[in-house]
Amino acid sequence: MLFFSFFKTLVDQEVVVQLKNDIEIKGTLQSVDQFLNLKLDNISCTDEIKYPHLSSVRNIFIRGSTVRYVYLNKNMVDTNLLQDATRREAMSERK
Amino acid sequence: MSFFGFDPSMPPKQAQQHSKNNNNSETLDFEETYKGYGEYDQEEGDYLNEETFGGNVELGTDFDFGNGSNQQSQPQQQPSHEQAHRSYVQAASSGVQPTNLDANVDLKPMESLWSGNVNTSSPVPVQIPLQGQPQQQHVLSMEEIERQQRQMQQFNGAPGGPVTNGNNQNAQFMPPQGFMQGQYPGQFIPQQFPNMYHHPGPFYQQGPMAVPPPPPHVQQQSVPPQQVQQVQQQHVQQQHLPPSPQDQNVQTNNSHLPSPMLEHELGKSPQPILRQSQSPMPPTLQELAPQGQTSNQVPIQNQQQQQPSRQQQQRQPMPQQNRREPLSPEEQKRLQIRHAKVEKILKHAGLMTPRDKDFITRYQLSQIVTEDPYNEDFYFQVYKIIQRGGIVGESNKGLIARAYLEHSGHRLGGRYKRADIALQRMQSQVEKAVTVAKERPQKKNEDSLNAGNATGRDGVLGKVSTSMNSKAPRRQLTIPLSTSRSGSTLTDEDGELRRNSTAGALQEVAESLGNVDLNNKTRARRRSSYAFTSIDQNSVLTRSGGRKFVLSLIETVYEEVLELEANLRSGKEINNKELWSALHIDDEVYEVSPYISMLSFDKGVKIMPRIFNFLDKEQKLKLLQTFFSELSHLNIIIISSYKTNPTPTDAQLKKIDLFQTVFLKIIVSFLSNSSNFIEIMSLLLHLIKNNNVSFISTSKIGLNLITVLISRAALIRQDSNRSSVLSTPEISTWNEIYDKLFTALESKIANVFPPKEYIDTIIEVSQPKNVSPATCYYDQAYIWQFLASLALSGKLNHQRIIIDEVRDEIFGTITQAESLKEHLQQEVNSDSNNSTINSDEIMYRREKLYQDLNLFLNVMGLVSRDGEISELK
């Protein structure tokens, strides 16, 4: 649940999602579920010329399995806390 | 459509025929294709045309075509429609005997979907006996049915409206038309279907289950209208009336049932008992009998029930008056658009009952909620608390409920705009989901016991594999934990790490796995090649148990702290024994305390404040004593000393900064909050006795630490001078310690100032790329602070020695400040454009140089200003 927990903190933040088919979509993260499906609002494609079909889309639902990468703003992440959360995850797994 | 009593029980057959014909398209003979269609005797029902097409029925503008249009757009609902429609005609015609069961066979599997909701199918037993009753006198005309429908719509439109028995409807009762106009097609009609699905009994099971098989044609005649009404009533009741639909059904059917027959039926089959137990209203049976005995009573009851709805009607007389007036084209168009919209929106509305929705929601929620959010949802929970500034806001469950409500689109609270109720409901859903989630781990364990085969469990979201799910996704790499340790030194790619494979590492490995010694040979060789140890981190690490050992210690400490913090949150008892032993402060086994080595790592430094939260005062003191006595081994001192590390890197400087902000803060707060004079003296003594003070004073961190100690001691001494708390032995001890410190520093005091090359290196490394070198400088305030506190605690002769030794630096600083002034003037003269930006900066620097210098000079009653030193007035 670590990633789910993590992405929940990014709700209402702007992220850039890179899909496995190389499309990069910038948008405000609306919601995320346990499969890491993402809902983005106010999206814009970083390469409008190559992927014009997304220019008329405002919000989008992305199946989690198609996501390759999510670019985040550095200051959205509390790295120390993330380390702790990782430790907790590892601890609970060992139990 | 089967307005003409066309037998829809045949469709499968017909469809087959059709497809056959289409397939064998070579020879299509008209006679053949038509064959059979006209031979049905439903043609006899022609005399009903008038009624069907409203020849003697008043034509309103509000005629219900909703069913028809829905039927076309939703083929999957057709069967139920067909039945409903057919029944109108069949109710009137007497000669038709279609077997309507086959047509609906394909709907049967739906039942299995709801098999969990046994309650909902409970009407079955009630209706089975009733359907057998010959009730020809109660055949309803289209008009009557229509009227009932209107009534239903009224109740739909009027929230909380009462329920009437649509069956024996009084003719004089007219529903307000206003409701129909807006809500007619969408709200009523589609929602009818789920109820059909939901109460499959009368439709799908009547044939096989009917106990006394009645004459088929009679059944067909009498039953269908009731069914329609029942469906409608059930629908209404579900929406507006909590009491059981069963009860209502019974009443409905009762109204035209001779009671002996009923009782006979009830007695015959065990099903009524079933119904009774499932019905929320126990007295159903008692009600049943008297009502059934005389059907005369029923209208009275109906009227009573209609009472409230009439009041409603009176409240809205206007729409009713408008009823006969035809709508203007504009209005009609608007109405049409509206209908279309509503229809579109509600096309699939009501496919699921609230109960189904609740179930799905609960299942979905159970995937994301957890009983122990701080454990499983740690990052999110703590992050939110940090964001809110330490205030715990809304409860986790409330938050989830709110968020989920928002996503599901129910945040407005549905038709009645009761957002609060919607939220409440969702919260209760979350509660339930938590219980579901609670049960899940057990199931998981059971599954894991059933061998490793990933047998899936059927969930609402499809087949859910138990071995892999969102909580435990498939891993790209699975690292076997047991073997990772034995190859520790070999798998280390880092060359530095290999150096650790000396005695300490050996010991550690031997400890962890006593039986594995296959690597001894290589280690011995390595040890010989790294036998000489310099004053570097690795040697220190080695002497404190090895890098791996220290790193694993840090992790252990983290885990202990996390555990303690979790206990703190949940209000459990806090026992720091484990933590204390993990810190290895008392551990004498190692040459250098592992605790000191822990501070070589950033994460080891970062955890310190949190460790301190869980230590008592004794432990803190012990920890600091260890810290100060082994200061020379501290990696950060070595890094921050210009002697051992003349060219610090950027990373090292950051490390120094981190240590300063994190660890120094702890020490300062400990000293100023909870320590007394003797404790401070003991710490200082530990420092002086065990370390080379003059070396430590060459490092920024070391100097800061000494400064903290002596300035705190000086403060306490000043305070106690007034109140004379300190005893004479304490003061004499202090003087002794101070003398020791001073002796250690004497003749090397000037060494606290780093050489120019070192300063230049630091400036070069730390300066941002886009800033001109002139604005960068090395902040020497910490040195002057040290000198100031040293002078403050010393006597006059001490001060004199200090001044003597650092005289050059004093005047050097003054010169520097004055040169800055000249530099500034030159710059102003040379180009007046760019200087404004820099001039402020330079003026500030000059001020700061004087300020820092005066920190020290003021202690001795001196002050320096504008290149001169004068007495402080």
Side-chain angles (χ1 to χ4, degrees):
Chain A
M1 293 284 268
L2 177 63
F3 282 93
F4 176 44
S5 192
F6 171 70
F7 275 105
K8 274 204 288 184
T9 63
L10 298 177
V11 167
D12 294 336
Q13 308 278 5
E14 187 157 275
V15 293
V16 178
V17 178
Q18 190 189 60
L19 303 183
K20 284 176 179 169
N21 59 5
D22 288 334
I23 299 182
E24 283 186 8
I25 301 161
K26 189 166 89 176
T28 312
L29 188 66
Q30 229 179 359
S31 75
V32 62
D33 65 11
Q34 73 266 35
F35 306 104
L36 305 184
N37 299 329
L38 307 172
K39 255 187 190 169
L40 297 184
D41 203 3
N42 287 328
I43 63 152
S44 60
C45 202
T46 47
D47 194 351
E48 289 274 352
I49 299 153
K50 203 173 172 190
Y51 308 107
H53 52 286
L54 282 174
S55 52
S56 63
V57 183
R58 236 179 90 82
N59 39 43
I60 198 168
F61 176 89
I62 303 173
R63 191 184 150 96
S65 65
T66 62
V67 174
R68 179 188 291 148
Y69 201 82
V70 179
Y71 297 89
L72 317 164
N73 193 337
K74 201 175 166 186
N75 50 30
M76 290 178 199
V77 188
D78 187 334
T79 46
N80 289 323
L81 184 59
L82 197 56
Q83 285 176 17
D84 275 4
T86 316
R87 287 192 181 98
R88 283 206 75 99
E89 190 99 335
M91 276 164 69
S92 60
E93 252 164 50
R94 234 176 293 147
K95 270 174 199 166
Chain B
M1 294 281 280
S2 54
F3 263 34
F4 302 98
F6 177 71
D7 180 8
S9 68
M10 300 303 284
K13 224 174 175 182
Q14 287 161 9
Q16 277 171 14
Q17 272 184 350
H18 267 294
S19 58
K20 232 183 211 169
N21 288 338
N22 289 341
N23 291 341
N24 311 332
S25 51
E26 317 102 32
T27 50
L28 271 183
D29 187 54
F30 176 73
E31 287 297 337
E32 254 181 60
T33 54
Y34 184 70
K35 197 175 178 185
Y37 285 119
E39 290 171 8
Y40 289 89
D41 45 5
Q42 279 87 345
E43 297 288 325
E44 292 163 16
D46 271 359
Y47 71 91
L48 281 168
N49 273 1
E50 245 190 8
E51 193 175 316
T52 305
F53 292 116
N56 56 355
V57 174
E58 170 188 50
L59 273 177
T61 47
D62 55 322
F63 199 84
D64 176 19
F65 291 108
N67 275 345
S69 57
N70 269 331
Q71 201 174 6
Q72 280 154 12
S73 60
Q74 300 170 44
Q76 77 273 19
Q77 291 170 358
Q78 210 162 352
S80 10
H81 264 293
E82 261 180 345
Q83 191 158 29
H85 278 264
R86 182 188 60 227
S87 60
Y88 296 160
V89 179
Q90 283 166 347
S93 81
S94 54
V96 191
Q97 312 171 13
T99 52
N100 57 356
L101 293 170
D102 292 341
N104 297 311
V105 161
D106 59 334
L107 280 173
K108 254 190 169 166
M110 295 299 284
E111 261 179 67
S112 65
L113 269 178
W114 316 113
S115 56
N117 298 330
V118 186
N119 285 342
T120 56
S121 54
S122 57
V124 179
V126 189
Q127 285 165 354
I128 285 160
L130 300 175
Q131 280 159 6
Q133 309 310 314
Q135 294 295 329
Q136 299 192 15
Q137 74 269 28
H138 271 287
V139 167
L140 293 182
S141 71
M142 278 298 282
E143 196 178 355
E144 279 171 298
I145 292 165
E146 193 188 332
R147 204 170 284 135
Q148 284 157 18
Q149 280 186 341
R150 272 191 225 119
Q151 225 181 348
M152 304 322 296
Q153 287 146 21
Q154 187 206 354
F155 296 131
N156 274 330
V163 177
T164 63
N165 279 335
N167 204 353
N168 292 343
Q169 194 53 59
N170 294 328
Q172 75 260 28
F173 179 71
M174 274 299 175
Q177 177 64 11
F179 287 111
M180 269 179 257
Q181 290 181 352
Q183 297 159 346
Y184 192 49
Q187 293 185 347
F188 169 52
I189 300 302
Q191 289 174 1
Q192 195 173 342
F193 305 138
N195 291 301
M196 288 179 169
Y197 291 158
H198 220 73
H199 302 275
F203 294 96
Y204 313 131
Q205 293 179 353
Q206 61 184 24
M209 282 180 70
V211 183
H217 75 275
V218 174
Q219 186 186 1
Q220 287 306 324
Q221 279 171 352
S222 62
V223 171
Q226 287 177 18
Q227 282 177 350
V228 173
Q229 290 147 19
Q230 283 160 9
V231 166
Q232 290 166 354
Q233 281 165 2
Q234 283 162 9
H235 166 60
V236 170
Q237 283 159 357
Q238 276 199 345
Q239 291 213 327
H240 305 300
L241 247 191
S244 75
Q246 292 96 322
D247 182 39
Q248 200 63 36
N249 285 334
V250 170
Q251 286 180 358
T252 308
N253 294 310
N254 257 347
S255 57
H256 42 82
L257 273 185
S259 83
M261 190 61 175
L262 177 77
E263 276 164 5
H264 171 65
E265 291 296 337
L266 290 179
K268 224 175 178 178
S269 70
Q271 284 151 344
I273 298 152
L274 187 76
R275 174 190 54 75
Q276 192 187 14
S277 64
Q278 283 163 350
S279 164
M281 288 181 115
T284 352
L285 260 182
Q286 288 111 36
E287 275 178 42
L288 213 77
Q291 277 172 21
Q293 273 164 4
T294 52
S295 53
N296 301 345
Q297 287 176 351
V298 176
I300 300 162
Q301 200 191 11
N302 278 341
Q303 277 180 351
Q304 283 169 348
Q305 285 178 335
Q306 284 163 12
Q307 214 54 46
S309 57
R310 276 196 205 167
Q311 286 166 3
Q312 221 157 21
Q313 181 191 359
Q314 283 159 4
R315 262 184 261 128
Q316 299 169 1
M318 287 309 289
Q320 200 180 354
Q321 284 172 357
N322 291 340
R323 184 167 187 261
R324 301 282 177 264
E325 291 172 18
L327 294 166
S328 72
E330 279 173 35
E331 276 179 319
Q332 266 180 333
K333 202 176 173 187
R334 228 180 28 211
L335 204 62
Q336 269 178 350
I337 292 169
R338 199 189 141 84
H339 281 188
K341 257 187 197 168
V342 170
E343 217 166 286
K344 211 173 170 186
I345 293 167
L346 298 178
K347 194 174 158 193
H348 301 290
L351 263 178
M352 295 164 74
T353 63
R355 197 197 297 262
D356 302 336
K357 286 179 195 162
D358 283 356
F359 176 70
I360 299 242
T361 316
R362 190 157 63 241
Y363 203 93
Q364 287 177 335
L365 281 172
S366 76
Q367 298 282 326
I368 57 169
V369 294
T370 155
E371 191 192 356
D372 183 9
Y374 279 105
N375 191 26
E376 291 185 41
D377 200 13
F378 182 79
Y379 183 80
F380 178 79
Q381 298 299 331
V382 181
Y383 187 88
K384 284 292 158 199
I385 290 173
I386 291 171
Q387 293 290 92
R388 288 197 214 99
I391 305 154
V392 183
E394 205 175 346
S395 77
N396 176 48
K397 283 167 192 172
L399 253 152
I400 289 179
R402 193 175 292 276
Y404 212 83
L405 209 57
E406 217 123 284
H407 296 155
S408 64
H410 291 287
R411 63 188 179 286
L412 298 177
R415 226 156 15 119
Y416 309 130
K417 312 275 183 218
R418 295 301 303 271
D420 50 336
I421 286 178
L423 182 63
Q424 262 175 22
R425 277 192 44 195
M426 193 56 83
Q427 272 165 342
S428 75
Q429 284 294 302
V430 173
E431 287 292 339
K432 282 182 204 158
V434 171
T435 31
V436 172
K438 244 190 261 178
E439 288 159 7
R440 203 183 315 115
Q442 296 162 357
K443 281 182 192 163
K444 219 187 257 172
N445 289 341
E446 283 166 24
D447 284 339
S448 59
L449 284 177
N450 297 338
N453 60 339
T455 45
R457 205 154 36 90
D458 285 326
V460 153
L461 305 169
K463 214 160 202 201
V464 178
S465 169
T466 46
S467 61
M468 271 184 289
N469 55 30
S470 58
K471 283 195 170 187
R474 180 172 58 178
R475 268 145 228 231
Q476 200 113 43
L477 295 172
T478 38
I479 302 153
L481 282 171
S482 52
T483 54
S484 64
R485 274 210 148 178
S486 63
S488 61
T489 46
L490 290 177
T491 49
D492 285 336
E493 300 112 58
D494 192 355
E496 268 189 348
L497 290 184
R498 298 218 178 94
R499 272 182 259 171
N500 299 326
S501 324
T502 42
L506 249 180
Q507 191 181 350
E508 177 224 335
V509 172
E511 263 173 20
S512 56
L513 344 112
N515 50 352
V516 180
D517 58 349
L518 62 153
N519 291 328
N520 272 354
K521 217 173 167 184
T522 49
R523 280 208 194 92
R525 185 175 54 74
R526 278 199 198 122
R527 182 169 46 181
S528 61
S529 60
Y530 292 103
F532 47 92
T533 54
S534 62
I535 185 156
D536 67 349
Q537 190 194 347
N538 295 308
S539 76
V540 176
L541 284 176
T542 304
R543 281 182 283 159
S544 61
R547 182 190 163 98
K548 280 245 154 192
F549 175 66
V550 172
L551 281 173
S552 74
L553 268 188
I554 293 175
E555 286 306 318
T556 318
V557 168
Y558 260 100
E559 279 170 22
E560 292 301 333
V561 169
L562 284 169
E563 195 85 19
L564 287 172
E565 282 174 346
N567 287 349
L568 192 67
R569 269 193 300 267
S570 54
K572 282 185 211 149
E573 201 186 337
I574 296 197
N575 183 4
N576 62 10
K577 229 179 192 171
E578 298 267 316
L579 174 63
W580 183 248
S581 66
L583 286 170
H584 284 263
I585 302 235
D586 294 326
D587 207 332
E588 303 289 334
V589 174
Y590 305 99
E591 202 178 328
V592 177
S593 169
Y595 169 70
I596 294 295
S597 291
M598 277 186 219
L599 294 175
S600 320
F601 299 96
D602 278 1
K603 59 178 177 182
V605 174
K606 281 179 192 164
I607 190 72
M608 284 306 152
R610 294 159 72 186
I611 293 175
F612 262 63
N613 287 338
F614 295 105
L615 297 182
D616 56 38
K617 203 193 155 190
E618 293 299 308
Q619 288 169 326
K620 283 181 192 170
L621 197 64
K622 178 84 180 122
L623 187 145
L624 285 181
Q625 279 171 358
T626 314
F627 173 76
F628 277 112
S629 48
E630 302 202 26
L631 210 53
S632 301
H633 299 304
L634 193 63
N635 181 241
I636 206 80
I637 298 279
I638 291 152
I639 285 175
S640 66
S641 165
Y642 66 86
K643 277 195 172 159
T644 47
N645 187 21
T647 53
T649 62
D650 191 26
Q652 284 172 331
L653 289 178
K654 274 186 183 145
K655 229 173 166 177
I656 293 167
D657 265 359
L658 175 79
F659 191 88
Q660 188 137 9
T661 49
V662 174
F663 202 78
L664 228 54
K665 214 186 246 175
I666 309 173
I667 294 177
V668 169
S669 76
F670 174 76
L671 292 181
S672 52
N673 289 333
S674 49
S675 67
N676 58 32
F677 195 62
I678 295 173
E679 283 160 6
I680 291 169
M681 280 197 298
S682 82
L683 289 178
L684 196 58
L685 197 63
H686 271 283
L687 192 152
I688 298 162
K689 256 168 55 183
N690 300 311
N691 297 286
N692 181 350
V693 178
S694 71
F695 165 67
I696 287 173
S697 66
T698 60
S699 86
K700 188 179 174 182
I701 297 289
L703 208 58
N704 272 329
L705 287 167
I706 300 172
T707 310
V708 165
L709 284 177
I710 52 179
S711 63
R712 181 65 197 155
L715 263 172
I716 293 179
R717 220 158 59 94
Q718 275 183 349
D719 278 358
S720 53
N721 273 350
R722 287 192 285 271
S723 54
S724 67
V725 176
L726 292 183
S727 59
T728 14
E730 276 178 334
I731 290 176
S732 62
T733 320
W734 167 250
N735 288 337
E736 220 171 281
I737 292 170
Y738 181 84
D739 279 341
K740 260 190 186 156
L741 175 70
F742 201 83
T743 323
L745 285 169
E746 205 176 353
S747 79
K748 293 163 200 154
I749 295 178
N751 284 350
V752 299
F753 289 95
K756 196 175 180 312
E757 300 83 52
Y758 181 76
I759 293 174
D760 288 345
T761 318
I762 287 189
I763 290 174
E764 201 181 306
V765 170
S766 61
Q767 111 193 349
K769 296 223 161 49
N770 51 354
V771 179
S772 67
T775 57
C776 278
Y777 58 94
Y778 182 70
D779 191 354
Q780 293 194 323
Y782 73 94
I783 297 174
W784 294 114
Q785 274 168 10
F786 165 71
L787 292 175
S789 53
L790 192 66
L792 190 66
S793 299
K795 299 194 178 66
L796 201 63
N797 56 331
H798 293 135
Q799 292 177 352
R800 209 165 281 153
I801 293 168
I802 296 168
I803 291 187
D804 271 352
E805 290 203 24
V806 299
R807 174 165 290 142
D808 288 350
E809 296 295 335
I810 296 170
F811 288 116
T813 309
I814 294 172
T815 322
Q816 200 189 351
E818 290 308 307
S819 73
L820 275 175
K821 200 177 174 186
E822 286 166 29
H823 180 73
L824 184 64
Q825 279 164 349
Q826 276 173 13
E827 213 167 79
V828 171
N829 292 340
S830 59
D831 60 331
S832 48
N833 292 336
N834 290 332
S835 61
T836 45
I837 308 153
N838 270 340
S839 64
D840 284 348
E841 186 77 26
I842 288 171
M843 282 307 288
Y844 168 77
R845 249 185 85 188
R846 184 166 168 268
E847 280 300 304
K848 187 155 187 337
L849 281 173
Y850 275 121
Q851 254 178 31
D852 295 344
L853 183 58
N854 283 335
L855 270 178
F856 169 61
L857 291 180
N858 287 353
V859 173
M860 286 158 294
L862 298 171
V863 70
S864 78
R865 240 179 247 119
D866 295 328
E868 285 173 10
I869 297 176
S870 56
E871 288 217 6
L872 191 64
K873 281 145 207 166

